Amino acid sequence: MTARRIARAVARRLGSALLVVWLTATVVFFALRLSGDPLEAIMGGPGSQAGAEATERAREAYGLDRPLVVQYLAQLWNTVTLQFGDSYSRKQPVTELLAANLPPTLLIATLALLLAWVLVVCGALVVALAGHGRAGRAIRSAMAGVETVASVAPQFFLGAVLILVFVSGFGLLPATSGSTPAGLVLPVVTLAVPIAGYLAHVLQGSLIEADDAPFAVTSRSRGASEARVLLRHTLRHAALPALALSGWAYGSLLSGAVVVEALFARQGIGRMLLEAATVRDVPVVIGAVVVIALLYVGIMLLSDVLEQWVDPRLRRRDGVRI
């Protein structure tokens, strides 16, 4: 029975992944084609001086002389087989471009999610240590205000403020993200702060409920400190809703990389996607968006597995819930 459940769960996930790939490739293909002729990217941009004969040869070589439906089906087949073809503008295989630009984006997204959780746990610890008196209520209100501001802060505005303060003001960090660890600080913080504010807001609501639960009251009656109650008992229970949102948060970080990589002149799939969309480089845009969508599906799967690991009740209730 367990093997059958696992097979059904895996089949559901594969079906979801294929649906995501099809919808993503379809929307991107027709949106870019409606925005203009991709032949401009092939011939070197709007200022190209290519003659009519060269233009016609390029149109035939890239299959742009075929009916639009045929072009769509060919692109869809390349997408399903993960053979996205060659970039119109860079004249390189899209898979090579993805292999070169995906790791830097995954690095800053992963570091940003880890930093966001560190900030969330530290904020929860501050609130727990503040107690329930007048000072504690003031600290709770202040932390709630910080969480709200952080969660709604636009990444481009936050990144610009960080550059103004730590680059122009104090000269502590580089303005562009180079190959040194210092170049990672500002992009990672820019990505992490809004996600940390959102996760902290969700976590604090769950902590209030867990704080009055019998296991927390019993632990305090035995002399446990607020920090011990938080770290040993309430945090694990309260973290489940925020943990369930971590998959969504990682997907948001991947999409936020478009802004951050452009702002800090950092190599990555987000910056590559922005540049390709500007020149209507269809294979690159479809390849990048599809890979990001598949990563999102995979991260959501890992998030479900991690949620079940933290809360065994989900396994007992659902059997296998992948």
Side-chain angles (χ1 to χ4, degrees), residues 226-242:
E226 290 294 333
R228 183 178 179 83
V229 172
L230 172 71
L231 297 176
R232 293 291 299 273
H233 301 287
T234 58
L235 182 60
R236 180 170 181 172
H237 290 76
L240 287 174

Side-chain angles (χ1 to χ4, degrees), residues 93-113:
V94 175
T95 51
E96 292 183 4
L97 294 173
L98 292 173
N101 288 277
L102 184 58
T105 300
L106 294 179
L107 175 62
I108 61 170
T110 303
L111 291 176
L113 185 60

Side-chain angles (χ1 to χ4, degrees), residues 82-269:
L82 299 182
Q83 298 296 324
F84 301 105
D86 292 342
S87 165
Y88 290 164
S89 59
R90 303 191 186 192
K91 307 300 187 291
Q92 292 179 252
V94 175
T95 51
E96 292 183 4
L97 294 173
L98 292 173
N101 288 277
L102 184 58
T105 300
L106 294 179
L107 175 62
I108 61 170
T110 303
L111 291 176
L113 185 60
L114 293 175
L115 177 59
W117 268 106
V118 169
L119 294 174
V120 167
V121 173
C122 289
L125 189 58
V126 168
V127 171
L129 293 176
H132 299 277
R134 180 178 299 178
R137 289 195 296 270
I139 291 177
R140 287 175 186 270
S141 299
M143 290 298 294
V146 171
E147 293 165 7
T148 302
V149 172
S151 62
V152 300
Q155 290 173 333
F156 67 89
F157 174 76
L158 179 60
V161 170
L162 292 175
I163 291 175
L164 183 63
V165 174
F166 293 100
V167 178
S168 302
F170 298 104
L172 297 176
L173 295 168
T176 58
S177 181
S179 58
T180 62
L184 290 171
V185 175
L186 293 183
V188 169
V189 172
T190 301
L191 284 173
V193 169
I195 294 297
Y198 186 81
L199 294 178
H201 184 72
V202 174
L203 181 67
Q204 287 299 335
S206 301
L207 278 175
I208 293 174
E209 297 179 3
D211 208 41
D212 297 327
F215 59 84
V217 175
T218 302
S219 181
R220 290 191 189 92
S221 66
R222 293 175 180 174
S225 65
E226 290 294 333
R228 183 178 179 83
V229 172
L230 172 71
L231 297 176
R232 293 291 299 273
H233 301 287
T234 58
L235 182 60
R236 180 170 181 172
H237 290 76
L240 287 174
L243 189 62
L245 288 172
S246 291
W248 165 85
Y250 198 84
S252 178
L253 290 171
L254 291 176
S255 62
V258 176
V259 175
V260 171
E261 288 170 356
L263 183 62
F264 293 99
R266 177 177 174 80
Q267 179 188 8
I269 196 170

